[in-house]
Amino acid sequence: MSDKYVSWGRYPFKNQKGVDLLWRDDQLPVNTNFLPQGNARSYGDCCMNADGMVVSTHNLKHFISFDPETGVLRCEAGVLLKDILDVVEPQGWFVPVTPGTKFVSVGGAVANDVHGKNHHVAGTFGCHVRSFELLRSDGARMVCSPSENPEMFSATIGGLGLTGVIVWVEIQLKKIANSAIDLETIKYSNLNEFFSLSAESDANYEYTVAWIDCLARGEQLGRGHFMRGNHASGNRKKPSRRSLPLTVPIDPPVSLVNAFSLKLMNALYYNRQRTRSKQTIVHYDPFFYPLDGVKNWNRVYGPKGFLQYQFVVPAENSADAIRETLDRISAANCGSFLAVLKVFGDKPSPGMLSFPRPGATLALDFPFQGEKTHALFNQLDEIVVQANGAIYPAKDAHMKPAHFRQYYPNAERFKEFKDPNITSSFWQRVMEPSA
Ligand SMILES: Cc1cc2nc3c(=O)[nH]c(=O)nc-3n(C[C@H](O)[C@H](O)[C@H](O)COP(=O)(O)OP(=O)(O)OC[C@H]3O[C@@H](n4cnc5c(N)ncnc54)[C@H](O)[C@@H]3O)c2cc1C
């Protein structure tokens, strides 16, 4: 048993049995259930298999082909988005969709059908996947694409690793003139203003997202910084990458994120910008990956770990649901520093179980405080269920079985495509709970 294979939130697991695949033609384990794992950057238990083992693709790190004319890249599933950027960005290409960390594997990006700040323009990562090879536990290999094994293609995108091991992936990259981002940051005063900014920005800005001060109340509820940007034009000089790598070297004995530090950090962060609007050209790293600058930042939550709560609610219910969420968090005397709000577009997600759908999505981090945290999440669940929303499995360690079936009506059909020898702690919790 080792903590090498433990998820990013470090809750509810402290260790996990695992083996590493070394080559594309390796055999899978027999006589045991297992789960494919990428770089374990999921927060909860969708990349964990407490009662069995995980099969890590960590070492499947080879590029197979790249055409600098067309931007079509084929690589092994364990290649990280960081590795791709290092190779293709100097040649004028970029990843088509990226989550808030570049330390995710391509296989993990497919299996959670991840989204980024350009969802309103580009949809999910799965929208840019041309094909992949799937290895089933019986040793069968199949190439899946929109035209070859299309149902397995759709089940595997957002399929939480449960249909087989993705061995390699072919994606269409995005052509760019400049990897730097021409960024405007607007300090806004409340939730209504957020929605106006978002609506007015979608047509002209490829990337939009807001950080919100989730401790602000009353008239200021939902206030924050709205960031909107595009890749800079080719003639602009690229700013240099942030130079000082920071690290959290040890586990503090308790969470450093508490009521006092949250109040301080939120107020300081909100007020760090004096003017309403600020225009800058920034390196893509701090824009897309602000947290990657601090190695092991998940340790600040201490030995009990932390949870994220990310939901999406349809547009007609967004403002009320988000207002109520922030009120309940405040009433529970909890708070989050990493509170991110974004409006998804309406480009359909290709996966049977993909999370992104039209509406507003809010993501919040909480230190795990035992029953208090679950009690708060139960209250937030009521809001999401009432608002006809959904919770994101990649961030989850709490969702109830009935809620999963409501959020993901294809769950029953998905079982047809699930590999019989693959399972996860998440799947057992939401689809096979013991009585
Ligand atoms: C700081 C931070 C910011 C984030 N921001 C975002 C964001 O903005 N948007 C977003 O969508 N997500 C975000 N995430 C979540 C993250 O993008 C996803 O959890 C992603 O799937 C993690 O990839 P991974 O390689 O670490 O996969 P893991 O976490 O190891 O696994 C994720 C899932 O993929 C499956 N899997 C992994 N590899 C394979 C494979 N080769 N074959 C089959 N199945 C496989 C696993 O079984 C599991 O179900 C963020 C995470 C962090 C830590």
Side-chain angles (χ1 to χ4, degrees), residues 216-372:
R217 307 258 56 84
E219 300 277 283
Q220 298 185 316
L221 185 129
R223 74 177 187 179
H225 291 181
F226 188 87
M227 285 153 269
R228 55 189 189 187
N230 290 310
H231 283 282
S233 56
N235 54 5
R236 300 300 296 262
K237 185 171 178 287
K238 279 187 213 165
S240 56
R241 201 184 284 258
R242 190 179 15 210
S243 51
L244 258 186
L246 303 169
T247 183
V248 180
I250 50 155
D251 280 311
V254 292
S255 171
L256 300 180
V257 180
N258 52 44
F260 174 74
S261 62
L262 275 173
K263 209 168 176 172
L264 189 72
M265 287 193 301
N266 278 272
L268 283 176
Y269 196 81
Y270 181 71
N271 290 310
R272 85 196 157 124
Q273 182 168 314
R274 296 244 171 99
T275 51
R276 175 175 152 79
S277 163
K278 189 174 154 200
Q279 202 98 34
T280 40
I281 304 248
V282 293
H283 190 278
Y284 70 81
D285 257 350
F287 177 69
F288 289 110
Y289 314 115
L291 293 166
D292 285 352
V294 185
K295 197 169 171 223
N296 299 326
W297 64 262
N298 54 342
R299 287 182 172 163
V300 301
Y301 288 94
K304 289 188 182 158
F306 71 111
L307 289 91
Q308 189 164 98
Y309 196 88
Q310 179 170 2
F311 63 89
V312 56
V313 276
E316 62 275 19
N317 303 329
S318 291
D320 286 347
I322 287 163
R323 215 166 261 128
E324 204 177 336
T325 300
L326 295 174
D327 280 340
R328 298 264 179 118
I329 293 170
S330 164
N333 202 19
C334 293
S336 167
F337 177 62
L338 301 170
V340 175
L341 184 58
K342 152 116 198 121
V343 176
F344 283 149
D346 53 12
K347 196 163 179 183
S349 300
M352 227 174 253
L353 300 182
S354 294
F355 161 71
R357 57 202 77 185
T361 181
L362 177 63
L364 305 143
D365 282 2
F366 297 93
F368 181 58
Q369 295 181 285
E371 221 9 73
K372 182 177 173 183

Side-chain angles (χ1 to χ4, degrees), residues 182-229:
D182 198 344
L183 170 67
E184 184 181 15
T185 306
I186 300 167
K187 187 177 174 186
Y188 69 90
S189 316
N190 55 45
L191 206 52
N192 289 344
E193 215 187 316
F194 163 82
F195 283 110
S196 310
L197 279 167
S198 184
E200 116 194 1
S201 306
D202 275 4
N204 297 322
Y205 293 88
E206 187 172 355
Y207 301 108
T208 62
V209 74
W211 166 84
I212 67 167
D213 172 0
C214 86
L215 298 182
R217 307 258 56 84
E219 300 277 283
Q220 298 185 316
L221 185 129
R223 74 177 187 179
H225 291 181
F226 188 87
M227 285 153 269
R228 55 189 189 187

Side-chain angles (χ1 to χ4, degrees), residues 8 35-43 46-47 57 77-78 80 98-101 103-109 111-116 134 156 159-162 164-167 291-292 297 310 392 394-395:
W8 190 245
L35 176 74
Q37 190 181 77
N39 205 27
R41 276 324 200 254
S42 298
Y43 283 64
C46 80
C47 64
T57 59
L80 303 181
T98 180
T101 170
F103 297 113
V104 305
S105 69
V106 177
N112 268 325
D113 198 13
V114 301
H115 57 271
L134 192 67
T156 301
L160 302 164
L162 297 161
V165 178
I166 302 165
V167 178
L291 293 166
D292 285 352
W297 64 262
Q310 179 170 2
Y392 190 12
K395 309 284 185 75

Side-chain angles (χ1 to χ4, degrees), residues 132 149-159 350-354 413:
F132 52 76
N149 299 308
E151 286 194 303
M152 192 57 101
F153 182 74
S154 164
T156 301
I157 295 179
M352 227 174 253
L353 300 182
S354 294
R413 184 171 159 238

